Amino acid sequence: MNISNTIWLNGSMVHEADHRPSLGAHSLHYGINIFDGIMAYWNDDHFYLHYGLEHYTRFCDSAHKLGFRIHFSPEELVEATHALLEKHKPQKYYVRPLVYRSTAHIALAGSFDSDIENIAVMLVPLPHKAVQESIDCMISSFERTKGNSIPVQWKIGAAYANSFLVRREAEQQYKRDGIMLDASGTICEASAANVFFIKNERLVTPSITRDIFPGITREIIVNLAIENGIKVLETSIHVSQLGDFNGCFLCATLMEIVPVKSIDSYIYQTESLPVFQKMQALFSEIISR
């Protein structure tokens, strides 16, 4: 996915090609950056920034925890994103904020001058959503990065080497995604998405631990289900339980809600299940605001 030419950088609209980081940039060499992902939907006559404040609050909190100095509030970043969107044609966009160090600094740690820190907001144009088809997944051979090694809740760039390996392995096996386990065989999540299972009329999803990313879309799904009388069980799920479920779906900001038709040899009829259809309809109502 290619980003648009005009980006927001440290409070100004600039041309992306004129502001690329040094080959010696600290963030490039060690993955020391924080990013996030937000959807911007063009709904008839306006942009709807999907849970923009919540995403930017998480973004700023994570950046502070990693030692970056953020000089913009979440509210100001929401405003900046709307200003950037207004400079582009009306359509759906994936919004990618990124905080990084752009000048040469090969040393692993140490002190950093504030003037080498940047906050950028980029847009990725997306086509209108087609009908989302069910996907095939596999259990990945790569374990989930432990949260006490790299805090997975912070969306640190370096941590996504784990996600890259999982997705790449799945694609090499002609699957769309991989499901990560921890060392004990407990299901964590997909490469870049939370996972829900369906058992009869109930949703079952892994409990949030330090090894599982607390996705905003995951939280939306849980809240929508509870508000509409659908039971949700948050619990530990072992890989040996995959045959106990009727359906499965993945959810994340960019992919929204994607039905899963198989995980290795386990086959699901997710798209035909009323509870899945209900969740899709409820989510569609939100993003149509």
Side-chain angles (χ1 to χ4, degrees), residues 257-282:
I257 301 176
V258 178
V260 173
K261 64 181 177 181
S262 71
I263 301 177
D264 289 336
S265 62
Y266 298 96
I267 308 298
Y268 303 112
Q269 305 297 325
T270 308
E271 286 184 284
S272 65
L273 298 178
V275 67
F276 174 74
Q277 295 170 356
K278 178 67 172 177
M279 296 311 304
Q280 269 196 324
L282 291 169

Side-chain angles (χ1 to χ4, degrees), residues 86-237:
E86 293 301 327
K87 290 189 172 294
H88 292 78
K89 69 178 184 179
Q91 68 172 86
K92 183 167 68 172
Y93 291 96
Y94 178 64
V95 181
R96 170 54 61 91
L98 176 73
V99 58
Y100 62 101
R101 298 186 176 101
S102 61
T103 56
H105 189 104
I106 298 296
L108 181 60
S111 60
F112 300 93
D113 295 330
S114 61
D115 62 354
I116 72 170
E117 299 185 352
N118 296 281
I119 301 178
V121 180
M122 300 157 277
L123 302 182
V124 178
L126 297 174
H128 291 293
K129 182 180 178 181
V131 176
Q132 189 65 264
E133 297 182 352
S134 292
I135 64 172
D136 294 306
C137 296
M138 63 177 287
I139 297 299
S140 180
S141 65
F142 295 97
E143 288 182 6
R144 178 59 163 140
T145 300
K146 291 186 67 62
N148 61 353
S149 297
I150 299 179
V152 300
Q153 296 88 351
W154 298 2
K155 289 187 81 72
I156 303 172
Y160 278 75
N162 186 211
S163 298
F164 169 79
L165 292 170
V166 171
R167 182 73 64 84
R168 181 170 176 267
E169 177 187 45
E171 291 174 348
Q172 289 175 335
Q173 298 297 320
Y174 304 100
K175 307 288 186 180
R176 280 285 301 280
D177 213 338
I179 306 297
M180 293 182 281
L181 312 177
D182 63 17
S184 67
T186 299
I187 292 171
C188 293
E189 58 191 75
S191 63
N194 291 112
V195 59
F196 282 82
F197 295 95
I198 301 172
K199 186 169 185 177
N200 300 323
E201 297 299 313
R202 182 171 63 176
L203 300 183
V204 185
T205 190
S207 302
I208 293 296
T209 67
R210 62 185 177 185
D211 298 337
I212 295 177
F213 183 69
I216 289 174
T217 305
R218 177 193 182 277
E219 183 179 2
I220 293 170
I221 295 298
V222 169
N223 291 337
L224 281 175
I226 293 172
E227 291 167 6
N228 287 273
I230 298 171
K231 293 182 178 179
V232 180
L233 175 62
E234 299 182 66
T235 186
S236 176
I237 304 170

